[in-house]
Amino acid sequence: MSIKLEHVTYTYGTGSPFEKTALQDVSLEIKEGEFIGIIGHTGSGKSTLVQLLNGLLQPTSGTVTVNGQDISQKSKAAMEMRHAVGMVFQYPEYQLFEETIAKDIAFGPRNFGLNAEDVAKRVREAMEFVGLDYDTYADRSPFRLSGGQMRRVAIAGVIAIHPQYLILDEPSAGLDPVGRREIFAEIQRWHKEKNITVILVSHNMDDISRMANRLIVLSEGQILIDGEPLDVFATQQDKLHSAGVAVPPVTEVLQYLKGRGLAVEDRVHTVDEAVASIYHSLGGNKHA
Amino acid sequence: MLKDITLGQYFPGESFLHRLDPRCKIIATLIVIVAIFLAESLTAYGLLTVFVAFCFGISHLPMKLVLKSIKPLWVIIVLTMGIHIFTTPGEAIWQWGFLHITWEGLRQGALMTARLVYLIVFSSLLTYTTSPILLTDGIEHLLNPFRRIGVPAHELAMMMTIALRFIPTLLEETDRIMKAQTARGANFTSGSLIQRGKNMIPLLVPLFVSAFRRADDLAVAMESRCYRGGMGRTRMHELAYTFRDSIAMTVVILFTVILGVMRWLV
Amino acid sequence: MSTPMIKLEHMSHAYTDENGKTVYAVKDISLEIQPGEFVAIIGTNGSGKSTLAKHFNVLLVPTEGTCEVCGLRTDDPQHVWDIRQQVGMVFQNPDNQIVAAVVEEDVAFGPENLGVPPEEIRQRVADALERVQMTIYAKHGPHLLSGGQKQRIAIAGILAMQSRCIVLDEPTAMLDPKGRQEVMETLHQLHREGITVILITHFMEEAVQADRVMVVHHGELKMDGTPRSVFTHVDELKQMGLDVPVPAELAVRLREKGVPLPEGIITKEELGDALCQ
């Protein structure tokens, strides 16, 4: 079970003066249960890549298969397989449209032909997952919520489809640190409890380093780096630099201290680990 | 799909037509439209053909733009031609049931089609050679004298400016919302007409909500930049009516007078 | 001493919510911002920082207390346009503040509203675009620009009004790291030119770059001082839901564990100096 891209190229506006190749001969396999972080600056091809994963765009050449099914075909099986890939766009709160929160979340499951009872179950489950109490919020208008809450409703609307693969494009954009932590806690929980494959597109290397077990760096339509995040930060700084992306702040500080001769372990995810690492390095010479 | 729609018809250039004052071009276009309706005889149509070809020639626009401007209206053109060919009374040269084709019908059909095509080509010449901003400025200036009778010239022009500015943004947004809803299983392309109309709700509601939000933001932003209506406002680029414009205007008026003379006096 | 750019005295802004209760978005804030300062105002969503900023441009007027801009009271209607000319405002969404379909026309919008003669507008526009390094985009459609470029256009629009102060309400929230950097570099340059910069943000890495940081929480001004004096209050800031620079947090945590580090560390260099002496 996996999503496979084989020699995928995508060109916008073929034949027009605005022709632009967004992705160039990309091959990639996304395995079940992975938590992948995709990073790359605007124009690197990352939004094209994720839209190819669930058939919103069709490759100019090459194939995209989901669980072995080529999703470029018009067959029923191909259409169904696309639904195994859920997509949360940037600022998803701007896609809400129903009168009540429950109805909006039900939109996806209903479109996929579930019966009323199952739909209701999915809605309840999705709302609980994103921390919105069903009895309080189900019948409220989504347009009267705060920005952060609206975003949760939108994410619940995708989660309710029960995708096997969940793509999130900058889910924390515009949120403050608290809102960001809450959204990511929910996504991580979903990943662990339901064994969902998560593909997170983000500018924030800190978020990726804390959550993802695989980091893909895109640059100019190609995969520049593909590896375990801490490995990448430790060994491929030059490549990261050339793609215009920075290592997470914690890593940056530790690498700096290491450069100044402190024997710190720089492969850490969090501030707490960093504190332990520095403390340990001071260990013998309880200095000053 | 939505990216295929060409935005704005303006085709940048430095030709004689491009450099004319927009006010001159708007009025000239209106006059030529009158002239097109004055043409009746074959000679008049011949003259019209030469004139339209001449104008297009000095605009230095690529030929394919003529076809591009006609393309969206081909159904209407074919329909006009058909109605005239089949319904004009006269000596039938072909008949099938109640349908008949006459020489008069063929002639009428051809002339009507030519008239329609010239109308389209000539008005697109205006939009091809005038940037939307100059066009808006031109309209504002031309409407200014009517302010006294309550025509909100400045407001209309400002509305057009903002519309021009936001069309690309809203198209982009439409594309994004469509994709987002498609990913949730929405279907915008199949089903009966009523069903399809209903299916548009998940697209239209977010689009309206967003348009209102943008309008709200924009109003605040404009206010914070000291916008308080048209009073006391100056413009960075002022329109200038030059000798070139007088020449163009004279040619157009002369041409129209000739067509008028041909219609009523010859 | 010269007239303060902004002066608030016991200023509050209250509104009535749906249940008829009075809610204070901003509560009893007194502060002074001098010409030429670079101030960052930080706080979480809903902390009142945006409401506060809207008073500087008379988009809101105080419900209690006073707000003076360049010595002019904002609650006096006849000062509104003078104040708005002096204090320009850049908003979060780069798309929703650009009025015209061509970059230079948009930059000209402010001076046009002020009734500046055409010849001078052209000069000001050229100068403003030069200062934000967007001259080559003068004839472009704004929809073809990146987010960072759009925000620089918005900034140019304020420079063309010859404002002395620029207030930015989360200008980088919707930008990618490159766009964020572009905007920050532009702000530093304006600051060097003597323009007062007031930056509302929830990115602490941006606030660290200011001369002075104000922390707003639940509508109240909780801290006001240099980045160093503010960001060493690691626990308080975290409790308010704000981030702190990683080196500052590391220093505090290490001190708690008994490592003898001096106070006031906020950069990696300072941390390095203290640890590797």
Side-chain angles (χ1 to χ4, degrees):
Chain A
M1 299 293 241
S2 67
I3 303 184
K4 250 193 206 145
L5 273 73
E6 279 168 282
H7 302 291
V8 169
T9 295
Y10 188 87
T11 308
Y12 283 98
T14 316
S16 81
F18 305 107
E19 187 171 312
K20 188 181 177 292
T21 299
L23 277 188
Q24 180 77 53
D25 192 28
V26 168
S27 296
L28 171 70
E29 185 177 8
I30 295 168
K31 295 197 195 72
E32 216 181 353
E34 286 189 303
F35 195 128
I36 299 183
I38 299 184
I39 202 163
H41 57 75
T42 315
S44 60
K46 57 184 183 346
S47 40
T48 308
L49 176 68
V50 292
Q51 289 184 40
L52 284 161
L53 296 181
N54 69 344
L56 286 171
L57 294 177
Q58 297 295 343
T60 312
S61 67
T63 54
V64 180
T65 57
V66 177
N67 301 341
Q69 171 70 49
D70 182 346
I71 57 165
S72 68
Q73 283 159 10
K74 290 261 182 258
S75 69
K76 200 162 169 259
M79 292 303 270
E80 261 168 28
M81 209 38 88
R82 285 191 201 175
H83 301 154
V85 186
M87 172 94 186
V88 177
F89 277 84
Q90 239 183 78
Y91 300 99
E93 56 272 30
Y94 298 152
Q95 73 201 37
L96 300 176
F97 70 98
E98 278 283 14
E99 297 154 69
T100 71
I101 291 170
K103 274 192 192 171
D104 207 291
I105 297 173
F107 182 65
R110 260 194 298 125
N111 284 330
F112 296 145
L114 263 65
N115 65 38
E117 200 184 320
D118 287 342
V119 170
K121 230 160 65 189
R122 293 266 184 107
V123 171
R124 197 176 269 275
E125 176 202 47
M127 283 185 68
E128 267 160 30
F129 216 91
V130 298
L132 289 168
D133 179 54
Y134 184 88
D135 298 315
T136 321
Y137 286 101
D139 293 325
R140 289 206 194 166
S141 162
F143 297 105
R144 307 199 65 179
L145 298 175
S146 74
Q149 284 175 319
M150 278 171 87
R151 182 160 309 174
R152 288 196 200 158
V153 172
I155 293 177
V158 176
I159 279 178
I161 303 168
H162 278 194
Q164 201 180 332
Y165 305 90
L166 180 62
I167 305 168
L168 300 124
D169 189 356
E170 288 283 349
S172 67
L175 298 181
D176 60 24
V178 176
R180 209 164 65 215
R181 270 195 287 280
E182 284 171 358
I183 292 268
F184 282 133
E186 280 149 18
I187 294 166
Q188 270 181 298
R189 204 150 52 87
W190 193 249
H191 168 69
K192 286 199 184 107
E193 287 178 18
K194 303 269 174 174
N195 195 31
I196 298 293
T197 310
V198 176
I199 299 144
L200 170 71
V201 178
S202 175
H203 291 307
N204 191 327
M205 203 52 121
D206 197 24
D207 293 336
I208 290 181
S209 117
R210 270 188 297 109
M211 294 181 287
N213 48 35
R214 181 174 169 195
L215 166 68
I216 294 176
V217 181
L218 283 179
S219 179
E220 286 164 30
Q222 289 179 311
I223 294 178
L224 183 72
I225 298 174
D226 183 348
E228 199 278 322
L230 293 185
D231 255 5
V232 172
F233 302 149
T235 59
Q236 313 215 43
Q237 290 156 26
D238 294 343
K239 271 194 181 176
L240 284 172
H241 190 75
S242 77
V245 293
V247 299
V250 178
T251 314
E252 190 197 323
V253 174
L254 289 179
Q255 284 178 350
Y256 173 80
L257 294 177
K258 206 175 176 182
R260 293 200 51 175
L262 214 60
V264 289
E265 170 54 64
D266 58 359
R267 297 191 181 213
V268 303
H269 294 98
T270 62
V271 169
D272 290 341
E273 286 171 28
V275 170
S277 160
I278 297 172
Y279 191 69
H280 184 77
S281 78
L282 299 171
N285 60 331
K286 259 283 187 242
H287 109 155
Chain B
M1 60 204 109
L2 282 160
K3 294 205 173 90
D4 297 337
I5 300 172
T6 44
L7 288 175
Q9 298 279 298
Y10 180 51
F11 197 90
E14 289 288 321
S15 74
F16 182 82
L17 291 191
H18 280 91
R19 282 181 292 169
L20 287 177
D21 186 287
R23 290 168 295 184
C24 164
K25 276 191 271 190
I26 294 168
I27 292 181
T29 305
L30 292 176
I31 296 176
V32 173
I33 286 171
V34 172
I36 290 173
F37 278 100
L38 288 177
E40 229 174 21
S41 64
L42 275 178
T43 332
Y45 268 96
L47 216 58
L48 205 56
T49 313
V50 172
F51 184 74
V52 173
F54 170 74
C55 291
F56 210 89
I58 60 168
S59 73
H60 297 308
L61 294 170
M63 261 318 275
K64 64 168 198 253
L65 283 187
V66 178
L67 298 176
K68 211 178 122 197
S69 62
I70 298 172
K71 217 172 123 194
L73 294 163
W74 70 271
V75 178
I76 298 173
I77 294 172
V78 170
L79 217 67
T80 315
M81 187 155 32
I83 288 170
H84 282 283
I85 290 177
F86 289 115
T87 61
T88 312
E91 190 192 336
I93 52 169
W94 180 84
Q95 196 150 11
W96 185 76
F98 67 94
L99 287 175
H100 58 81
I101 297 177
T102 63
W103 280 119
E104 289 80 356
L106 282 178
R107 179 177 177 274
Q108 201 62 19
L111 292 185
M112 282 302 150
T113 308
R115 179 178 279 180
L116 204 59
V117 169
Y118 293 161
L119 274 177
I120 298 164
V121 171
F122 210 84
S123 11
S124 31
L125 211 49
L126 173 67
T127 49
Y128 280 143
T129 62
T130 319
S131 80
I133 291 170
L134 282 177
L135 205 59
T136 312
D137 269 6
I139 294 171
E140 180 175 1
H141 276 88
L142 291 173
L143 287 178
N144 253 338
F146 302 102
R147 278 223 319 233
R148 240 165 290 161
I149 56 162
V151 177
H154 168 75
E155 287 74 8
L156 283 173
M158 187 52 80
M159 274 163 62
M160 276 176 66
T161 305
I162 292 169
L164 282 171
R165 154 72 188 86
F166 278 92
I167 286 169
T169 309
L170 288 177
L171 279 178
E172 224 170 79
E173 181 136 32
T174 309
D175 195 45
R176 216 171 51 93
I177 297 172
M178 265 177 116
K179 279 182 176 159
Q181 307 297 32
T182 307
R184 292 166 81 193
N187 186 347
F188 296 108
T189 48
S190 60
S192 67
L193 208 60
I194 296 173
Q195 192 55 44
R196 264 201 239 185
K198 247 177 100 180
N199 289 352
M200 293 306 271
I201 293 174
L203 170 64
L204 292 178
V205 172
L207 208 53
F208 273 108
V209 170
S210 139
F212 280 113
R213 187 171 37 83
R214 287 181 191 281
D216 211 35
D217 282 3
L218 187 70
V220 173
M222 286 171 73
E223 211 184 315
S224 85
R225 286 165 79 183
C226 295
Y227 179 71
R228 48 201 139 157
M231 294 300 283
R233 242 185 141 239
T234 47
R235 298 307 311 269
M236 173 167 68
H237 294 298
E238 290 169 307
L239 298 179
Y241 198 88
T242 63
F243 184 59
R244 205 183 354 237
D245 299 296
S246 310
I247 296 174
M249 202 49 102
T250 315
V251 171
V252 165
I253 291 172
L254 264 176
F255 174 71
T256 311
V257 169
I258 292 171
L259 284 189
V261 168
M262 283 173 73
R263 179 170 181 147
W264 285 297
L265 300 179
V266 180
Chain C
M1 203 166 165
S2 61
T3 325
M5 195 70 227
I6 310 267
K7 184 177 175 187
L8 308 186
E9 275 178 350
H10 301 289
M11 190 193 88
S12 297
H13 191 96
Y15 62 93
T16 313
D17 72 359
E18 340 177 340
N19 308 322
K21 239 174 45 196
T22 304
V23 181
Y24 281 91
V26 169
K27 198 173 177 189
D28 193 29
I29 292 187
S30 299
L31 60 85
E32 269 186 30
I33 294 172
Q34 302 304 330
E37 276 194 279
F38 185 160
V39 180
I41 302 181
I42 60 173
T44 54
N45 292 347
S47 60
K49 61 188 192 301
S50 288
T51 310
L52 175 63
K54 286 200 172 89
H55 285 83
F56 303 160
N57 187 256
V58 213
L59 290 171
L60 292 174
V61 287
T63 53
E64 289 158 45
T66 59
C67 173
E68 273 179 31
V69 177
C70 304
L72 305 172
R73 293 260 307 234
T74 60
D75 52 0
D76 185 342
Q78 73 181 34
H79 293 152
V80 172
W81 304 106
D82 287 333
I83 293 173
R84 285 192 183 151
Q85 192 259 310
Q86 292 293 331
V87 179
M89 189 131 182
V90 173
F91 300 87
Q92 184 184 102
N93 191 328
D95 273 318
N96 298 357
Q97 54 188 318
I98 294 180
V99 184
V102 174
V103 165
E104 61 170 10
E105 294 271 342
D106 188 72
V107 176
F109 182 73
E112 286 179 343
N113 292 334
L114 297 172
V116 175
E119 181 54 37
E120 198 190 328
I121 295 181
R122 287 195 286 274
Q123 256 170 35
R124 286 194 190 186
V125 169
D127 171 62
L129 285 173
E130 177 85 47
R131 282 157 79 189
V132 300
Q133 289 160 31
M134 288 292 289
T135 306
I136 53 168
Y137 296 101
K139 306 275 182 193
H140 276 54
H143 65 283
L144 298 172
L145 304 178
S146 73
Q149 290 173 327
K150 284 179 199 166
Q151 290 300 49
R152 276 148 67 198
I153 292 304
I155 293 171
I158 287 160
L159 294 179
M161 290 171 74
Q162 299 186 336
S163 305
R164 292 167 55 208
C165 174
I166 179 165
V167 181
L168 306 101
D169 190 359
E170 299 197 37
T172 60
M174 298 177 80
L175 306 184
D176 64 6
K178 186 163 167 281
R180 244 175 243 165
Q181 202 184 337
E182 285 171 20
V183 170
M184 287 309 292
E185 276 165 15
T186 307
L187 294 185
H188 282 297
Q189 182 206 324
L190 299 187
H191 174 55
R192 281 194 299 273
E193 289 175 13
I195 292 174
T196 313
V197 178
I198 302 175
L199 172 69
I200 289 102
T201 183
H202 57 236
F203 292 113
M204 58 78 200
E205 54 278 38
E206 290 171 2
V208 170
Q209 302 174 34
D211 297 339
R212 179 174 168 194
V213 178
M214 298 181 184
V215 181
V216 179
H217 190 61
H218 293 315
E220 290 175 57
L221 185 61
K222 294 287 188 189
M223 294 182 204
D224 180 357
T226 60
R228 188 178 310 282
S229 69
V230 168
F231 284 117
T232 41
H233 292 91
V234 171
D235 291 315
E236 282 169 68
L237 288 168
K238 290 218 144 190
Q239 260 165 27
M240 289 185 230
L242 291 164
D243 278 339
V244 289
V246 170
E249 189 174 358
L250 287 174
V252 169
R253 296 281 169 267
L254 285 168
R255 251 210 322 272
E256 284 168 6
K257 293 188 97 175
V259 181
L261 292 171
E263 285 194 46
I265 291 175
I266 58 167
T267 68
K268 63 180 180 190
E269 288 79 9
E270 290 161 0
L271 183 64
D273 289 345
L275 286 172
C276 311
Q277 42 179 270

